[in-house]
Amino acid sequence: MLKKLFFNWKMNPASLSEASSLFTEFISLAQFQPQISLVVLPPYVYLSELNQQLQTSGVTNLKLGAQDLARYSAGAYTGQISGQMLKNMGCQYVLIGHSETREAYQLSHEQINQKLLQSLESGLVPILCVGHQSDKTITEINYPELSEQVTTALQNLPTEWQTEFYLAYEPVWAIGTGKTATNPIIEEVGQFLKQELAKLGLAKQVGILYGGSVDDVSIQELVKLQQIDGFLIGGASLKPEKFKTIAQVVANQV
Ligand code: PEP
């Protein structure tokens, strides 16, 4: 199966007109590569307009997601955006526990779990991010920390829950640095994460992603990964020539 691509725009671009023209590039990419699934995660404020653009385009292999959601369903939570609001805005996916969000809000494991439960309750597909600073070599992979991040986030799930979800392995030191984890480390961690999910009875619906400096150059090696079902892409998602090359390399994958 071809790898699925998720594009995290982070806090970019600065204006709606720039967001709209960047999104036009994704629409033309989706039309040009109909066999690849693409998900764009823009800032909240652009979702409504981009959803209109998406509906007008008629493309079906490009979807929208959000970069975070509140851990509550509704109420007096100033500044928060609920899962239901995102769903009503045309979102189908939501990032949970991105390392930048974890750090900015000092999120606890319990709070990540609450966000995950909210995403399910709202019918959004969660992309749970895990990873840490240390695992630069095989012997440095911090399995206890990875295990804790996964198992605490996935507590108290509804028993009937069978829908898809994604687990993004993002070594923190590789995000935005131009340095990627090596393929053997990513394969090893991918396998470990699948085992952890199997223990929780969640192996079937999960897709494992890698994120951390995926660009038009690093994708040439990363596309060979066997344990990985897709990529979470940050910086390169703002540069059409880069994300189009990434998609092309994935489309050429045998
Ligand atoms: C990210 O934001 O999740 C990410 C992986 O960023 P970058 O591709 O810029 O490293």
Side-chain angles (χ1 to χ4, degrees):
M1 207 172 60
L2 287 179
K3 298 186 192 312
K4 192 162 172 141
L5 301 177
F6 294 82
F7 298 93
N8 176 14
W9 288 5
K10 310 194 187 200
M11 201 172 71
N12 300 290
S15 70
L16 177 58
S17 64
E18 289 168 278
S20 181
S21 30
L22 182 60
F23 197 60
T24 303
E25 300 283 355
F26 280 94
I27 291 174
S28 60
L29 173 60
Q31 285 162 337
F32 184 66
Q33 304 278 12
Q35 74 284 32
I36 300 193
S37 295
L38 309 168
V39 179
V40 170
L41 311 158
Y44 295 134
V45 289
Y46 303 138
L47 281 167
S48 174
E49 182 75 19
L50 301 188
N51 189 37
Q52 288 289 334
Q53 252 180 280
L54 184 57
Q55 299 312 316
T56 310
S57 75
V59 297
T60 55
N61 57 324
L62 172 61
K63 310 283 184 207
L64 280 169
Q67 298 172 17
D68 192 15
L69 84 171
R71 53 197 175 96
Y72 319 99
S73 55
Y77 302 106
T78 304
Q80 298 292 303
I81 308 283
S82 75
Q84 193 59 58
M85 291 172 186
L86 295 172
K87 185 79 183 172
N88 292 342
M89 206 50 92
C91 275
Q92 295 189 24
Y93 294 82
V94 64
L95 268 187
I96 294 176
H98 189 284
S99 60
E100 289 158 9
T101 318
R102 285 183 196 251
E103 188 176 327
Y105 298 102
Q106 292 295 303
L107 293 174
S108 66
H109 290 316
E110 191 200 356
Q111 289 169 337
I112 301 277
N113 175 243
Q114 289 171 323
K115 284 175 184 272
L116 195 114
L117 295 176
Q118 282 301 322
S119 73
L120 301 181
E121 215 171 285
S122 323
L124 296 167
V125 173
I127 308 147
L128 172 66
C129 301
V130 297
H132 48 85
Q133 280 293 358
S134 69
D135 43 1
K136 291 187 179 161
T137 65
I138 292 266
T139 52
E140 287 171 303
I141 298 172
N142 191 335
Y143 291 112
E145 169 68 15
L146 280 172
S147 176
E148 191 176 2
Q149 286 184 351
V150 172
T151 48
T152 54
L154 298 174
Q155 288 177 85
N156 308 318
L157 295 181
T159 45
E160 73 282 5
W161 182 49
Q162 293 296 327
T163 53
E164 66 172 327
F165 90 96
Y166 293 87
L167 195 54
Y169 171 53
E170 298 211 301
V172 176
W173 60 267
I175 297 178
T177 59
K179 294 179 186 137
T180 64
T182 61
N183 282 13
I185 290 182
I186 302 169
E187 294 285 19
E188 181 116 349
V189 172
Q191 199 158 14
F192 174 75
L193 293 175
K194 283 185 180 167
Q195 284 161 6
E196 291 296 290
L197 290 160
K199 284 188 216 158
L200 300 168
L202 295 170
K204 278 200 195 116
Q205 68 259 49
V206 71
I208 306 279
L209 311 176
Y210 168 77
S213 296
V214 179
D215 63 17
D216 50 328
V217 177
S218 61
I219 191 65
Q220 309 286 348
E221 191 59 22
L222 293 167
V223 77
K224 298 175 192 163
L225 288 162
Q226 299 294 315
Q227 298 288 336
I228 297 299
D229 304 297
F231 298 105
L232 178 53
I233 299 148
S237 57
L238 303 173
K239 304 262 185 276
E241 70 286 0
K242 293 195 179 191
F243 62 72
K244 287 182 180 178
T245 302
I246 293 171
Q248 185 66 56
V249 171
V250 167
N252 293 344
Q253 167 195 350
V254 277

